[in-house]
Amino acid sequence: MICDNCKERDAVVNLTRIVDNAVTQLHLCEKCAAEKGVETTVAVAQHPLGDILQAVQQQASTTSEDAAACSFCGATARDFRATGRLGCPHCYDAMEKSLRELLRRLHGSSRHVGQRYDAPVTHVATPKPDSIHDLRDRLQRAVDTEQFELAAELRDRIKVIE
Amino acid sequence: MTPPRPALDLSLLPDGGVRWLDASGPNSDIVISTRMRLARNVSGYAFTGRARDGERLRMLAQVRDALGAVPSLSGSLLVRLEELATVDRQLLHERHLVSKELAGLDPQHPIRSGAAVFLGESVGLLVNEEDHLRLQSLRSGFAVPQAFESVHRLDQELGSQVPFAFHREFGFLTACPTNAGTGLRASVLIHLPGLVLTKEIGKVLSGLQQMGLTYRGLYGEGSEVVGNFFQLSNQTTLGRSEEELQDLLVRVVRHVIEREEEARRVLVRDAGYIIEDKLWRAYGTLRYARSLTFDEAMNYLSGVRLAVGLKLITGLSVYTLNKLLIFAQSAHLAHLEQRTLTESETNLARAKYVRQVLVSEGGGVE
Ligand SMILES: [Zn+2]
Ligand SMILES: [Zn+2]
């Protein structure tokens, strides 16, 4: 079968889509599929976790963000590979490039098109995440995971508050 | 052996938290329930897995302080899971109110400090699961828009009080990238004995995977399919809007329901007496067995449920069968007997309980 898009190469991906209540089959070659952001392995994935770890492993050799630690929680790309979990919301910025690639592999897209959200301005009454207790916990974690640069910074911030 | 503290009192919950079993929803002969889950995290905290105990507890405190301004959860029951005995945590899990991970039943994830659940009328809020917050709603039958509406309202109310972690490109941020974007997992618990008996199920399951849906057993990720009960849910959460994800589930499930109905017609037409005999035997076993394992009970219940759907067995309600699905599990039986049970005692208690329920319903008489 010939690719529906370029009509040149052999189709290797059968994409089943539902558009306006109708089921359509799209046959694509590997190149066109990649351009459309279709990851050929996604459709057969049964256990998302096995899949994600595999995808992360594949990336291991290509990423240059490996050594960089998240400036908030101290997690590294290595930690992510070991657990399949990110350390905190800031990790998405710290590992942005490789995560964008991974999200594309997992979801077929890395762009959120759903509901938008604006966080409320936090009230003074609620415990602030930057409380002295939180800073101490973060410091302890930074020391435990040998993120000494982050630890030094947190120590300074705690000193200012005390 | 007595539990370390008074057993969990689920009578404090409206309907004991099992209203979703009452078979009042659309298509409830085939679809037991619809569940919507939103994964959310609070900015300024490490994700639960990386957080220290103190951070988790302050996270919980921040959520609790905000709840006064969240009408969806007014009057909700707060359960601090870390304070409960294992059997009580298992009970909540068997009732589909908390995940295995939050209940600390997974040997890899022992119960963590700050693990809590707020249970309202039709919504629940899990705190300090893999994500800080998992908002969920559970409805009877095939009720996607209704279930989404409840969880969406909770999301709006809570999100205006507590700052969620949100990224302009990646959407709602989650500990596992498989949940990022909308954070929405829309699923149905569906009973497909017709497709299993006609051996069509393989084709249907691989077809729905091509459509972007995935399937699991009765108890979510990694659990086995027993009693022909399947959980179907969207596989991806990013790159499609909440509406598109719901539409996808609705369209595919509608199609699966039609296939199941067709399979049932074929069974009755081509193998009428064989099926009838098989289903009555299932009923007979449930009605008279003295010991039942969980898998046996589920498989026979599946047969009886099909027989009721085919109107072969009358006088038994789908609600009763749904309840057996939940109440014949081991922690529920331990609560019923008010003591811990060994495995063989559990099987005896299960058979006794099932017999009693079937006798009191008086079903099955021709
Ligand atoms: Zn092509
Ligand atoms: Zn981080």
Side-chain angles (χ1 to χ4, degrees):
Chain A
M1 194 171 287
I2 298 289
C3 170
D4 290 336
N5 192 50
C6 65
K7 316 241 187 273
E8 281 176 15
R9 289 172 290 268
D10 281 345
V12 292
V13 182
N14 292 335
L15 188 63
T16 309
R17 294 190 308 179
I18 311 178
V19 184
D20 299 329
N21 280 316
V23 179
T24 60
Q25 284 276 349
L26 198 57
H27 310 280
L28 298 174
C29 70
E30 208 153 353
K31 187 157 179 280
C32 292
E35 277 166 11
K36 288 186 184 295
V38 178
E39 174 58 38
T40 53
T41 57
V42 166
V44 293
Q46 251 242 50
H47 295 291
L49 194 62
D51 200 48
I52 173 189
L53 290 178
Q54 200 185 13
V56 175
Q57 302 288 358
Q58 280 170 6
Q59 246 164 36
S61 51
T62 59
T63 177
S64 56
E65 294 161 342
D66 225 44
C70 168
S71 62
F72 184 87
C73 74
T76 62
R78 193 166 293 121
D79 293 329
F80 177 48
R81 272 204 301 284
T83 60
R85 300 290 181 276
L86 293 153
C88 79
H90 298 274
C91 289
Y92 278 87
D93 293 320
M95 301 175 210
E96 187 188 312
K97 247 183 78 187
S98 55
L99 272 174
R100 183 174 293 121
E101 185 54 36
L102 178 67
L103 289 168
R104 245 199 302 265
R105 280 163 167 275
L106 289 169
H107 299 277
S109 162
S110 63
R111 187 161 293 277
H112 174 62
V113 294
Q115 184 195 317
R116 312 300 303 177
Y117 172 78
D118 287 310
V121 183
T122 38
H123 309 292
V124 197
T126 55
K128 280 276 175 64
D130 265 359
S131 70
I132 188 78
H133 300 288
D134 282 288
L135 289 172
R136 285 209 186 103
D137 276 337
R138 287 173 58 193
L139 170 62
Q140 192 57 51
R141 179 168 51 231
V143 172
D144 289 347
T145 56
E146 303 187 1
Q147 300 294 343
F148 297 119
E149 227 171 288
L150 178 60
E153 186 204 314
L154 289 166
R155 196 168 290 135
D156 290 346
R157 285 178 62 186
I158 291 169
K159 247 181 237 156
V160 172
I161 296 173
E162 287 174 339
Chain B
M1 208 176 87
T2 46
R5 44 181 20 254
L8 177 64
D9 186 1
L10 281 173
S11 66
L12 296 171
L13 267 175
D15 280 357
V18 289
R19 181 179 295 175
W20 56 278
L21 284 172
D22 71 6
S24 63
N27 297 95
S28 50
D29 53 335
I30 294 178
V31 180
I32 292 104
S33 60
T34 302
R35 175 204 300 266
M36 292 282 157
R37 186 214 74 191
L38 292 171
R40 297 287 185 260
N41 285 280
V42 182
S43 348
Y45 292 94
F47 291 142
T48 311
R50 194 169 177 81
R52 297 174 69 83
D53 284 353
E55 292 170 295
R56 292 177 188 142
L57 290 169
R58 286 189 288 283
M59 228 298 304
L60 176 60
Q62 179 168 358
V63 171
R64 191 167 43 192
D65 289 351
L67 279 192
V70 178
S72 290
L73 281 169
S74 73
S76 64
L77 175 68
L78 164 63
V79 182
R80 287 287 297 271
L81 292 156
E82 53 186 315
E83 295 172 351
L84 294 178
T86 312
V87 65
D88 288 331
R89 288 184 263 127
Q90 194 182 334
L91 182 92
L92 287 167
H93 174 57
E94 287 179 0
R95 244 168 233 218
H96 292 248
L97 297 173
V98 305
S99 64
K100 197 171 178 183
E101 172 168 350
L102 190 70
L105 299 171
D106 188 341
Q108 288 180 323
H109 302 276
I111 188 76
R112 55 170 78 98
S113 53
V117 59
F118 295 89
L119 297 166
E121 283 270 328
S122 63
V123 290
L125 174 65
L126 277 57
V127 187
N128 285 318
E129 213 233 31
E130 175 183 302
D131 291 302
H132 293 145
L133 305 170
R134 292 258 168 114
L135 291 56
Q136 65 177 33
S137 91
L138 210 50
R139 290 290 177 118
S140 167
F142 187 28
V144 172
Q146 295 87 338
F148 182 75
E149 169 59 28
S150 308
V151 83
H152 179 61
R153 196 181 316 128
L154 174 59
D155 184 38
Q156 302 267 298
E157 290 169 2
L158 191 60
S160 69
Q161 298 301 315
V162 176
F164 292 158
F166 185 82
H167 189 283
R168 15 196 336 262
E169 184 183 352
F170 302 146
F172 292 96
L173 302 179
T174 53
C176 183
T178 53
N179 295 314
T182 57
L184 173 65
R185 198 71 62 189
S187 63
V188 295
L189 181 58
I190 191 167
H191 184 222
L192 303 174
L195 289 169
V196 172
L197 283 168
T198 55
K199 304 203 164 47
E200 290 276 298
I201 192 71
K203 243 183 290 171
V204 171
L205 292 178
S206 68
L208 64 92
Q209 286 188 323
Q210 276 181 21
M211 306 282 225
L213 257 60
T214 182
Y215 72 93
R216 292 160 181 184
L218 202 46
Y219 283 88
E221 201 170 328
S223 71
E224 284 188 47
V225 173
V226 292
N228 309 318
F229 294 100
F230 297 82
Q231 254 189 73
L232 312 184
S233 63
N234 56 303
Q235 177 154 306
T236 63
T237 54
L238 183 62
R240 291 195 224 216
S241 69
E242 289 82 359
E243 289 71 27
E244 287 172 310
L245 290 170
Q246 288 174 68
D247 278 357
L248 176 73
L249 184 75
V250 167
R251 286 173 192 176
V252 177
V253 170
R254 207 171 273 156
H255 174 73
V256 174
I257 292 173
E258 281 167 18
R259 296 283 299 268
E260 170 66 19
E261 286 170 341
E262 175 62 23
R264 291 181 184 193
R265 277 194 294 273
V266 169
L267 279 176
V268 171
R269 193 191 62 205
D270 297 350
Y273 83 93
I274 300 174
I275 293 302
E276 201 173 334
D277 180 64
K278 199 175 159 78
L279 302 185
W280 276 109
R281 280 166 188 267
Y283 177 78
T285 305
L286 289 180
R287 181 68 184 70
Y288 294 106
R290 262 36 193 176
S291 169
L292 284 170
T293 67
F294 177 68
D295 284 8
E296 274 177 326
M298 290 303 114
N299 288 328
Y300 295 132
L301 272 172
S302 170
V304 173
R305 209 172 192 283
L306 175 61
V308 168
L310 294 175
K311 308 225 170 16
L312 289 173
I313 293 178
T314 52
L316 256 181
S317 72
V318 176
Y319 184 24
T320 299
L321 296 173
N322 284 355
K323 272 198 300 200
L324 282 176
L325 207 69
I326 303 301
F327 288 74
Q329 296 175 93
S330 54
H332 276 80
L333 294 168
H335 264 258
L336 193 68
E337 302 274 325
Q338 296 190 314
R339 64 194 182 92
T340 52
L341 303 171
T342 65
E343 200 180 321
S344 57
E345 287 173 335
T346 301
N347 294 341
L348 292 174
R350 179 176 294 117
K352 186 172 111 194
Y353 175 69
V354 170
R355 281 202 311 274
Q356 282 170 351
V357 170
L358 292 181
V359 167
S360 69
E361 280 266 327
V365 188
E366 267 188 291

